[in-house]
């Protein structure tokens, strides 16, 4: 299935990379954290690590570490604006439950 970016997320990432002057895409992962068990990790990537799994989406690379892929497979990363708030939103079909604040999830 893979991991993809929405058009809005790709525009946001591309703009940020252009401002930084370097980068190939975005690195996504999960870590043990929060009240529901897992939390997302997100950072801009300048290069791929040897064990990264790489997906291409809208001309950008989406890099995932092998341990995170089972939790993220099928996820679309979106960038949304809701009122005064804006940010990345993970549309993850693997999530069974998440905490009330939306910061952590359980699969």
């Amino acid at each position: 299935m893979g991991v993809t970016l929405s058009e809005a997320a790709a525009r946001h990432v591309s703009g940020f990379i252009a401002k930084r002057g370097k980068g190939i895409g975005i690195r996504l992962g999960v870590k043990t954290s929060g009240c529901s068990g897992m939390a997302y990790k997100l950072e801009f990537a300048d290069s791929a690590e040897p064990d990264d799994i790489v997906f291409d989406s809208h001309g950008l690379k989406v890099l995932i570490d092998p341990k995170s892929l089972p939790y993220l497979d099928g996820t679309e990363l979106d960038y949304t604006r809701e009122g005064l708030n804006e940010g990345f939103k993970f549309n993850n079909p693997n999530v069974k439950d998440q905490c009330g604040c939306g910061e952590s999830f359980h699969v």
Side-chain angles (χ1 to χ4, degrees):
M1 285 174 50
V3 179
T4 60
L5 302 173
S6 70
E7 287 185 36
R11 279 193 305 272
H12 185 74
V13 171
S14 293
F16 191 83
I17 288 172
K19 286 179 188 174
R20 289 178 72 223
K22 62 180 180 175
I24 62 169
I26 195 161
R27 181 181 311 283
L28 305 177
V30 296
K31 62 182 177 180
T32 303
S33 178
C35 50
S36 291
M38 306 194 89
Y40 295 109
K41 297 187 301 185
L42 181 145
E43 62 187 21
F44 293 93
D46 294 331
S47 62
E49 298 296 326
D51 61 342
D52 280 339
I53 299 163
V54 181
F55 299 99
D56 289 308
S57 184
H58 298 283
L60 295 167
K61 304 237 180 271
V62 180
L63 304 127
I64 312 289
D65 67 89
K67 292 181 181 179
S68 295
L69 185 59
Y71 304 104
L72 296 174
D73 199 21
T75 297
E76 178 195 54
L77 181 64
D78 194 9
Y79 192 81
T80 62
R81 290 185 178 159
E82 297 172 3
L84 298 175
N85 297 318
E86 63 182 282
F88 288 107
K89 179 180 178 185
F90 289 82
N91 297 315
N92 186 342
N94 304 303
V95 171
K96 303 288 188 243
D97 193 22
Q98 65 184 18
C99 68
C101 66
E103 294 295 320
S104 64
F105 65 97
H106 175 72
V107 293

